[in-house]
């Protein structure tokens, strides 16, 4: 394994996505030393549980934007100006009301057309809170007044990725739910491998494959 630092740059729509990833990354990539930085001041270091083998160091930079318009303007600029080697880019974009996530992904790929970088692009179907709907037990742990068993097997939550405005649905049934509070509390309890959101699983798998490929080849 290559032990030289690898940099992951996450381009995100909003700050709440940064708070979610900051809490999930140590469980998505548990075998790496992680330096997680969300500008301007938020910085943590997470050591892997096992120290039996040389560890790759990942610097994860979480860059929130002021919504999708700001993110889309930023993508080609950052790809052009980011000159550090061993840098991987990950773009996380909500589907929201877009009719087809594949067309949305193709549109984002078009924004990257003039760059030598080929970012990993993942579409959140339909918005970030759908990932919480894929793990209602985590919602219950973050908001103890909520009873996950009453909703887990209902038709509405069977497929989290097709829920229209999942943040509004959660607000209806979870006392005290806000996007900001949930972004800081629910991810602490989420079980990566048990989440039923397909877009969440694709994000995890894509990120793991991207990092594994980079860390296995960068040292050669």
């Amino acid at each position: 394994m290559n032990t030289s630092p690898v940099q992951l740059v996450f381009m995100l729509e909003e700050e709440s996505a940064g708070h979610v990833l900051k809490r999930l990354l140590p469980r998505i990539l548990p075998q790496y030393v992680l330096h997680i930085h969300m500008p301007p001041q938020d910085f943590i270091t997470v050591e892997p549980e096992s120290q039996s083998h040389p560890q790759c160091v990942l610097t994860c930079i979480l860059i929130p934007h002021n919504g999708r318009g700001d993110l889309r303007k930023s993508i080609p600029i950052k790809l052009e100006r980011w000159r550090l080697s061993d840098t991987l880019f990950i773009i996380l974009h909500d589907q929201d009301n877009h009719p087809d996530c594949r067309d949305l992904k193709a549109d984002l790929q078009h924004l990257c057309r003039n760059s030598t970088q080929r970012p990993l692009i993942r579409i959140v179907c339909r918005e970030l809170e759908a990932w919480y709907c894929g793990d209602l037990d985590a919602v219950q742990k973050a908001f103890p007044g909520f009873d996950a068993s009453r909703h887990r097997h209902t038709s509405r939550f069977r497929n989290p990725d097709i829920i229209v405005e999942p943040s509004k649905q959660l607000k209806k049934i979870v006392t005290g739910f806000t996007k900001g509070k949930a972004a800081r509390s629910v991810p602490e309890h989420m079980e990566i491998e048990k989440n039923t959101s397909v877009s969440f699983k694709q994000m995890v798998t894509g990120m793991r494959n991207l990092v594994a490929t980079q860390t296995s080849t960068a040292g050669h």
Side-chain angles (χ1 to χ4, degrees):
M1 177 182 289
N2 171 43
T3 56
S4 62
V6 173
Q7 187 166 241
L8 295 181
V9 177
F10 293 82
M11 289 186 273
L12 313 169
E13 279 192 51
E14 55 188 22
E15 187 176 333
S16 60
H19 290 300
V20 170
L21 285 174
K22 184 176 72 172
R23 290 157 175 81
L24 291 180
L25 283 170
R27 278 169 283 146
I28 295 174
L29 303 168
Q31 68 271 47
Y32 302 100
V33 177
L34 300 180
H35 301 309
I36 304 174
H37 178 44
M38 188 163 74
Q41 296 177 338
D42 204 351
F43 187 92
I44 62 171
T45 295
V46 182
E47 298 283 346
E49 293 183 2
S50 173
Q51 300 289 342
S52 57
H53 301 289
Q55 300 296 327
C56 179
V57 177
L58 302 180
T59 297
C60 303
I61 302 177
L62 312 175
I63 305 178
H65 294 77
N66 295 318
R68 75 187 78 168
D70 185 38
L71 171 61
R72 292 166 71 86
K73 290 178 183 177
S74 175
I75 287 171
I77 295 172
K78 285 188 172 59
L79 292 180
E80 178 184 356
R81 296 179 181 177
W82 210 287
R83 300 298 184 184
L84 296 178
S85 61
D86 287 337
T87 298
L88 307 173
F89 291 88
I90 299 174
I91 299 171
L92 202 60
H93 193 294
D94 287 359
Q95 181 184 1
D96 291 322
N97 295 321
H98 198 286
D100 192 320
C101 60
R102 292 168 296 185
D103 288 346
L104 176 56
K105 183 176 181 179
D107 189 29
L108 293 170
Q109 289 172 331
H110 186 68
L111 293 176
C112 308
R113 66 191 182 279
N114 294 325
S115 173
T116 57
Q117 294 280 354
R118 290 295 175 263
L120 174 69
I121 299 174
R122 285 295 179 260
I123 307 300
V124 182
C125 304
R126 292 196 168 259
E127 60 182 19
L128 189 67
E129 287 74 22
W131 292 356
Y132 311 157
C133 295
D135 189 348
L136 290 178
D137 288 334
V139 177
Q140 178 175 311
K141 291 174 182 176
F143 298 89
F146 172 67
D147 185 358
S149 65
R150 294 181 56 191
H151 304 276
R152 187 183 299 111
H153 300 298
T154 62
S155 58
R156 174 171 294 173
F157 291 97
R158 194 167 292 130
N159 185 349
D161 291 347
I162 65 173
I163 299 173
V164 178
E165 297 183 302
S167 58
K168 289 187 177 181
Q169 296 298 326
L170 288 171
K171 193 170 184 178
K172 290 178 182 178
I173 61 176
V174 181
T175 301
F177 181 91
T178 66
K179 285 189 173 186
K181 183 176 180 180
R184 291 170 171 82
S185 58
V186 176
E188 298 282 3
H189 306 287
M190 287 171 64
E191 296 190 43
I192 304 300
E193 313 305 334
K194 293 184 179 180
N195 199 294
T196 60
S197 164
V198 174
S199 70
F200 178 81
K201 293 177 181 178
Q202 290 177 340
M203 183 276 294
V204 170
T205 300
M207 191 187 307
R208 286 174 172 171
N209 290 341
L210 179 72
V211 171
T213 300
Q214 178 71 12
T215 55
S216 65
T217 60
H220 294 289

